[in-house]
Amino acid sequence: MAGNLVAGVDSSTQSTKVVLCRAEDGAVVAEASAPHPGGTECHPGHWWDALSQARELLERADAVAVAAQQHGMIALDGAGDVVRPALLWNDTRSAPQARALVDELGGATAWAERTGSVPVASFTVAKLRWMAENEPGNARRTERVLLPHDWLTTRLGAPEPVTDRGDASGTGYWSPASGAYLPDLLRAALGHDAETPRVAAPGERVGETAWGAALGPGTGDNMGAALGLGLRPGDVVVSIGTSGTAFAVSGEPAADASGLVAGFADATGRFLPLVCTLNAARVLSAAAAMTGATLDELSALALAAAPGAGGVALLPYLDGERTPDRPRATGVLAGLTTANATRENIARAAVEALLCSLADAVDHLAAQGARPRRTLLIGGGARSAAVRALAPAIFGTPVTVPEPAEYVALGAARQAAWALAGTPEPPAWPAPPATEHTSDRTAADVRERYAALRDSAPEI
């Protein structure tokens, strides 16, 4: 593959990012990005428009693959036209439908055994039920259901709708353990059968672009990040972006009846147990607004406060929460007194709350057998000096922070290189440069106080 270039696309909630890399070692030679509209639903055409702004860069590539936000529901009619704007992963209106589906079809244990996960509002299957109940005309028109990366891969030149096992595992109607669709679950949600994309083999070449580049099957954003980071057994990734995620590569499928751990597949033939929170980097943004600080100033304020924030504690469920499943929850700031109500303590409480929420997520993974040897911290929130400094004590492990990079897009590029090479395994790209962070103390008291607030706060 010497001399070949590959392009990886990250189509996220907020933007499209494209990296052009050398196929042999992943070195980035060019990048591009374009924004998406805000909100929790979006017409897929906006994603294509954003991707099209990188057309000149894409046409330099010998292979392309797309990683995109998971769960998004794209409903198509018989002519292949979009029935309604795609409902995105962060749209929580389908929470009642998720609970109803769990109850109707055998309870949480049955769902975990069949699909590896217990559906919540984020999952595609719950969004289909919401549409069936609230927009029955649109539901009746729907003849095919795609995910965001499926739709973009088809637009790029796949001759048939195609997905991969990683992204399919987040629908709620595909089984990571058996590798097969579960059409009865889709039918129960939508009210009738609908076509689903073919699930490609890992690393398969699924088509060709208009300019002759090979197309990889694409995957979900978390699976793309795992490929981009080159995860090994014992590595747990904590990503602080729009959402917070904790995930690890595993050789065995997970089936957590509590619903806390989603038993996803990865993009290589293995599995990717994952815990997702709705509130992550935006907790820092909200705290910065509360304190009248920039993000860098917020970090400095937090580091100037003592551990425990003088007794101030934050429950960071500002936009509802997915883990735990509290879609109607709100944030809670507790323990304020005239003595401790300082900008420093509020900033510290916000950083501690964010990390405690994510440490809970890592604990849920450990309960499913993913024992962390080290924690990799990525995403925009990992750029915070306070986050990096406090994380080792709160997580209880050394923390590795790879240098900032577009790891979802890099993972998609690595998959493109894999499809181009036709090898049994993805190409062995070098690990990214990283810094190591440790702590000589634990933060058990901070986590205990956080847990008490978490468990006592009512859902509004």
Side-chain angles (χ1 to χ4, degrees), residues 382-406:
R383 300 177 185 180
S384 162
V387 166
R388 295 194 300 268
L390 274 58
I394 290 177
F395 290 146
T397 67
V399 170
T400 298
V401 183
E403 69 176 18
E406 301 295 349

Side-chain angles (χ1 to χ4, degrees), residues 57-432:
L57 185 151
L58 287 170
E59 290 184 352
R60 295 170 58 188
D62 300 290
V64 181
V66 178
Q69 53 182 305
Q70 289 186 249
H71 306 306
M73 182 198 76
I74 301 177
L76 303 179
D77 65 16
D81 294 328
V82 175
V83 169
R84 69 166 331 278
L87 290 179
L88 308 184
W89 67 273
N90 56 344
D91 191 305
T92 60
R93 74 184 79 176
S94 54
Q97 287 75 26
R99 288 192 288 269
L101 284 169
V102 172
D103 292 340
E104 290 170 16
L105 299 172
T109 299
W111 275 92
E113 289 174 350
R114 294 196 67 193
T115 72
S117 304
V118 180
V120 293
S122 297
F123 279 59
T124 320
V125 71
K127 299 180 187 307
L128 289 171
R129 170 61 71 85
W130 180 90
M131 182 171 65
E133 292 181 358
N134 293 276
E135 299 175 352
N138 285 338
R140 285 191 296 271
R141 287 180 58 205
T142 298
E143 296 189 20
R144 174 173 287 159
V145 183
L146 302 185
L147 300 169
H149 109 257
D150 311 341
W151 191 84
L152 288 167
T153 301
T154 303
R155 288 295 305 265
L156 280 168
E160 60 177 335
V162 63
T163 191
D164 92 307
R165 59 194 301 278
D167 218 2
S169 66
T171 60
Y173 46 83
W174 186 85
S175 166
S178 69
Y181 279 112
L182 303 166
D184 62 309
L185 299 184
L186 189 155
R187 187 185 314 119
L190 183 60
H192 60 84
D193 289 321
E195 295 180 21
T196 49
R198 179 178 70 84
V199 179
E204 179 183 339
R205 185 186 296 215
V206 301
E208 189 174 281
T209 68
W211 62 93
L215 268 176
T219 193
D221 51 3
N222 294 297
M223 298 78 193
L227 264 179
L229 289 162
L231 286 198
R232 300 171 294 173
D235 291 341
V236 171
V237 173
V238 173
S239 176
I240 309 176
T242 305
S243 64
T245 53
F247 55 88
V249 171
S250 172
E252 300 294 330
D256 179 15
S258 75
L260 296 169
V261 178
F264 294 150
D266 80 344
T268 71
R270 301 176 182 86
F271 301 92
L272 197 78
L274 180 146
V275 179
C276 180
T277 68
L278 281 181
N279 298 277
R282 285 179 295 188
V283 176
L284 302 180
S285 300
M290 289 169 61
T291 56
T294 66
L295 287 173
D296 286 343
E297 290 167 346
L298 182 82
S299 186
L301 288 169
L303 291 172
V312 179
L314 173 67
L315 188 67
Y317 300 165
L318 307 181
D319 294 314
E321 190 45 79
R322 169 171 166 171
T323 307
D325 185 19
R326 300 183 187 178
R328 297 187 302 275
T330 58
V332 177
L333 191 62
L336 282 173
T337 68
T338 54
N340 67 16
T342 66
R343 296 171 74 220
E344 289 81 2
N345 283 332
I346 291 173
R348 180 83 180 207
V351 176
E352 290 179 345
L354 168 63
L355 291 171
C356 284
S357 173
L358 293 168
D360 283 353
V362 174
D363 288 348
H364 299 322
L365 287 178
Q368 291 294 305
R371 305 291 178 181
R373 174 179 56 83
R374 64 169 181 161
T375 303
L376 285 82
L377 199 60
I378 64 170
R383 300 177 185 180
S384 162
V387 166
R388 295 194 300 268
L390 274 58
I394 290 177
F395 290 146
T397 67
V399 170
T400 298
V401 183
E403 69 176 18
E406 301 295 349
Y407 287 107
V408 174
L410 284 169
R414 191 175 176 213
Q415 189 195 64
W418 189 9
L420 187 65
T423 52
E425 295 289 332
W429 288 359

